[in-house]
Amino acid sequence: MADDLPNRVLSLLADTDKPLLSSAVFSDLDFTTIKSALDRLSSRELIEYQQIDREQWILTAEAKGIVDNGSHEARVFEAVRLAKDGLKIKELPKEVGPEAAKVGQGTAFKLKWIKKDGDVLRTNTDSIQDVVREQLQTIQSTKTYEDPQVLTDLRKRKLIEMKKVLSFKFSKGPKYSTRFVKEETDLTADMLASGAWKDIKLKPYNFKAKGAITPAGALHPLNKVRHEFRQIFFEMGFTEMPTNRFVETGFWNFDALFIPQQHPARDIQDTFFISDPPRADPPREDPSSDPTTSTLPTADRSGDSQSSDSARRTSTVPSSPTHKRAKSKAESKQESLPDRTNSKRPTSTTHQRTKSKAEIHETPNADSAVKTLDYKQYWDNVRRVHEGADGTTYGSIGYRYPWSEDESLKLVLRTHTTAISTYMLHKLSLDPRPARYFSIDRVFRNETVDQTHLAEFHQVEGVIADYGLALGGLIGFMEVFFKKMGIDNLRFKPAYNPYTEPSLEIFGFHPGLNKWVEIGNSGMFRPEMLEPMGLPKDMRVYGWGLSLERPTMIK
Ligand code: PHE
């Protein structure tokens, strides 16, 4: 019994002052059981012990056969010797078995024990010495061999294997006694009350004991890559968009993005619709659920510690052309702050901003001229641009179908974070100015789940709003952005999104897979999306989206 092992060790030592070997006396017990018993005794100086690691050579099954029956070559010799008139070569496998015939014949020739005489084998000598068998016999009994070369050769021939044997050599210690009294680990109130504490043996405190391993948390790989992306965005002067709206209306997820109501993406096959409640109110000011703060964060204003001056240096977005426009009050105030989006924006102005009175209302008696957004107007504008009723809404012929309010109010799990970009761009129309926003959060698509598809993934999304942006700037920006992620060989392919024109798919070369893989989708938002929001006609907005999972997989 392992429990009683300390006492068994002590009684074994009772009759001898010589050390004992655990491999001899406890051959049936495992290493840790023996070690823990010996540790208990030695920590109390009842015994002393030493660990001995020995290497032993043991015979393989084939070698055991050789020990029993002789080596293959010896058996070949024996078979030839017994055949009076020589042994037909053909007969040899029948006599000694195919394996011994094959291996043994060659060796017996080499050792000149046998010779060939036509188609028969004859012996070359009267007697032989089966050296291999003798070596193996020695190894079997002593577990080793004097000549290390012999061991190497036999191991190469797969006749022996090395085994590490761990054992302990233990002997009486300075406080040896024949009995190990189990010590108390706790001093109890009872012991104190009864006075038993005077006689009990307390277990000594073990200061060397290692503490239990504390399970520690670790960052999820997706979170690590998310962190890298966030740093890149902050470095480039972006402000993070609030992403707490997992449920959106068809309006924000699709209609506001000029995605027609018949678009296949709006099908139940592709989008998760909420059943309870199935519909929302039309878009309206709703401070309680509005994830943005009352002051809209923009790249210009983000004086937070995460933004850095390198944003201006690394910016690849071309500076605005020398368009002229009137400065808003808010902008004049911001002029003293570093302009992270476009440091070369001209300040002289003759341009007329296209902000219309109907879209933005100044609250009559607010001192600070707090503006509010007219959601009703926006909702109507979106309807008009979809229907293209008069054929000239924002210069677009629209989709020419009757737009359904009901479809727009349906609640969905957001299929892209572009719903948030849209929400933020609409907010920007309160005070249109250069802005850089990003978000990284979960989106949902009604996919058939398999090993490469999930019904949800994380989307990395960015938008840049400024005057006079052109496609080259988007390409240039992408190159800088992805370079920061370690991807520096990009290709762009024309693509289609209902809300961007032109649209570009972004491909990166994957050296591991040795092929070009799609890493993102991008484009310049259409006027049909931006103008209904009340953004100035000459404001351009880049947008792009990619999955967080893709680069995480590649890394
Ligand atoms: N919404 C797009 C997607 O889901 C990404 C994108 C965002 C494309 C913005 C263009 C502009 O893939």
Side-chain angles (χ1 to χ4, degrees):
M1 263 218 312
D3 260 0
D4 197 27
L5 199 56
N7 276 315
R8 277 172 65 197
V9 170
L10 294 177
S11 57
L12 281 168
L13 288 173
D15 309 325
T16 173
D17 284 332
K18 290 210 187 93
L20 295 176
L21 213 56
S22 70
S23 56
V25 290
F26 300 124
S27 56
D28 53 331
L29 295 177
D30 66 82
F31 176 83
T32 36
T33 311
I34 302 172
K35 181 161 165 42
S36 74
L38 297 182
D39 278 339
R40 283 174 86 180
L41 296 171
S42 75
S43 68
R44 288 147 185 98
E45 296 180 46
L46 287 161
I47 65 154
E48 281 166 350
Y49 85 90
Q50 244 184 318
Q51 187 176 321
I52 303 167
D53 300 347
R54 269 183 311 151
E55 291 176 355
Q56 288 192 345
W57 290 94
I58 53 160
L59 305 194
T60 62
E62 187 186 350
K64 282 180 191 149
I66 291 173
V67 168
D68 293 344
N69 308 313
S71 66
H72 300 316
E73 52 275 20
R75 288 172 59 210
V76 169
F77 174 82
E78 195 56 18
V80 177
R81 193 177 66 84
L82 289 177
K84 273 179 210 119
D85 221 6
L87 183 67
K88 281 219 160 66
I89 296 175
K90 273 204 322 245
E91 303 289 314
L92 185 63
K94 259 190 253 161
E95 294 292 326
V96 297
E99 179 69 18
K102 210 168 87 195
V103 186
Q105 204 183 151
T107 318
F109 276 126
K110 229 191 275 167
L111 294 168
K112 301 206 164 62
W113 289 354
I114 58 168
K115 61 181 176 207
K116 227 178 179 173
D117 182 7
D119 63 349
V120 294
L121 297 169
R122 293 187 197 286
T123 53
N124 231 356
T125 164
D126 290 341
S127 67
I128 55 151
Q129 193 190 357
D130 193 352
V131 180
V132 174
R133 184 186 197 178
E134 286 167 10
Q135 288 168 341
L136 290 174
Q137 277 166 338
T138 309
I139 294 168
Q140 193 174 42
S141 53
T142 64
K143 313 282 185 220
T144 187
Y145 201 81
E146 250 176 38
D147 183 352
Q149 189 57 44
V150 170
L151 292 171
T152 312
D153 291 346
L154 292 175
R155 199 194 50 164
K156 268 195 209 139
R157 289 173 63 183
K158 297 206 166 62
L159 293 173
I160 57 169
E161 283 163 358
M162 204 193 54
K163 212 177 99 182
K164 273 216 154 120
V165 183
L166 306 177
S167 58
F168 303 97
K169 198 175 174 183
F170 57 93
S171 52
K172 284 180 182 157
K175 295 192 185 156
Y176 175 79
S177 132
T178 48
R179 253 172 58 77
F180 175 69
V181 183
K182 203 169 166 309
E183 298 142 326
E184 297 294 342
T185 48
D186 290 310
L187 189 62
T188 64
D190 283 348
M191 290 172 192
L192 295 174
S194 67
W197 63 273
K198 287 182 209 152
D199 304 316
I200 57 162
K201 223 174 158 193
L202 277 169
K203 189 177 176 187
Y205 203 90
N206 179 5
F207 290 100
K208 286 186 194 150
K210 292 200 177 96
I213 294 167
T214 334
L219 271 186
H220 189 278
L222 273 179
N223 260 334
K224 285 193 201 161
V225 178
R226 178 172 174 270
H227 177 78
E228 276 179 54
F229 269 116
R230 287 185 86 224
Q231 287 318 113
I232 292 172
F233 277 118
F234 287 134
E235 239 175 75
M236 298 183 87
F238 282 77
T239 305
E240 192 161 16
M241 294 187 273
T243 52
N244 54 358
R245 283 186 178 170
F246 283 36
V247 175
E248 285 283 5
T249 54
F251 180 80
W252 289 111
N253 199 78
F254 300 120
D255 294 297
L257 280 143
F258 199 51
I259 300 175
Q261 295 186 330
Q262 310 75 20
H263 195 279
R266 298 179 74 148
D267 201 272
I268 186 81
Q269 316 290 317
D270 292 295
T271 302
F272 288 113
F273 288 87
I274 305 294
S275 56
D276 184 19
R279 276 175 196 72
D281 290 346
R284 60 170 158 81
E285 194 72 59
D286 181 9
S288 66
S289 87
D290 189 339
T292 61
T293 47
S294 53
T295 46
L296 176 67
T298 71
D300 285 356
R301 264 182 214 167
S302 61
D304 59 72
S305 57
Q306 286 149 320
S307 303
S308 83
D309 278 352
S310 64
R312 272 174 294 156
R313 289 198 299 274
T314 55
S315 171
T316 54
V317 176
S319 47
S320 303
T322 50
H323 72 274
K324 316 279 165 65
R325 64 193 179 86
K327 243 183 285 170
S328 72
K329 249 192 212 162
E331 248 186 313
S332 312
K333 258 190 269 152
Q334 285 165 30
E335 217 67 74
S336 56
L337 289 171
D339 178 350
R340 297 186 187 284
T341 306
N342 199 326
S343 49
K344 291 192 216 118
R345 206 170 65 233
T347 47
S348 63
T349 61
T350 52
H351 171 81
Q352 280 304 298
R353 302 182 83 173
T354 49
K355 204 190 292 171
S356 82
K357 276 257 161 60
E359 284 150 20
I360 295 161
H361 297 261
E362 310 257 338
T363 315
N365 51 6
D367 286 336
S368 54
V370 177
K371 297 176 216 158
T372 53
L373 289 160
D374 186 342
Y375 285 87
K376 176 77 177 67
Q377 180 72 58
Y378 182 31
W379 164 260
D380 284 342
N381 292 349
V382 169
R383 172 215 303 279
R384 278 172 47 234
V385 76
H386 275 247
E387 294 186 339
D390 53 11
T392 56
T393 319
Y394 309 109
S396 173
I397 57 166
Y399 291 117
R400 286 163 291 170
Y401 71 98
W403 186 77
S404 146
E405 290 193 358
D406 185 60
E407 194 59 42
S408 190
L409 298 180
K410 281 187 185 166
L411 285 170
V412 300
L413 284 184
R414 68 172 175 230
T415 62
H416 51 187
T417 41
T418 320
I420 299 158
S421 303
T422 309
Y423 183 84
M424 294 297 286
L425 287 170
H426 180 234
K427 286 241 156 194
L428 188 68
S429 72
L430 267 178
D431 183 11
R433 62 201 178 284
R436 293 179 166 205
Y437 301 142
F438 82 95
S439 69
I440 307 173
D441 209 342
R442 230 178 299 177
V443 298
F444 306 86
R445 296 192 186 167
N446 199 350
E447 299 264 5
T448 311
V449 175
D450 63 25
Q451 70 269 44
T452 57
H453 292 91
L454 281 181
E456 58 178 79
F457 65 94
H458 292 78
Q459 195 161 51
V460 180
E461 167 120 2
V463 294
I464 297 180
D466 206 340
Y467 295 92
L469 298 181
L471 190 66
L474 173 63
I475 292 176
F477 176 84
M478 286 303 154
E479 274 160 0
V480 174
F481 179 76
F482 280 103
K483 175 134 197 159
K484 286 173 181 278
M485 277 305 282
I487 304 171
D488 57 1
N489 200 359
L490 297 185
R491 278 187 184 173
F492 300 89
K493 191 174 116 178
Y496 174 76
N497 295 310
Y499 41 95
T500 51
E501 184 62 37
S503 311
L504 299 170
E505 267 170 15
I506 307 159
F507 288 78
F509 190 74
H510 189 306
L513 297 172
N514 198 32
K515 66 175 188 191
W516 291 90
V517 290
E518 196 196 325
I519 49 176
N521 177 15
S522 66
M524 297 185 67
F525 287 121
R526 292 185 76 104
E528 285 95 331
M529 169 179 161
L530 302 179
E531 289 186 34
M533 293 174 171
L535 285 171
K537 254 187 176 6
D538 59 349
M539 180 163 246
R540 300 280 175 270
V541 184
Y542 299 149
W544 66 96
L546 46 127
S547 85
L548 182 62
E549 282 77 356
R550 185 56 67 86
T552 308
M553 266 158 52
I554 291 174
K555 270 171 162 271

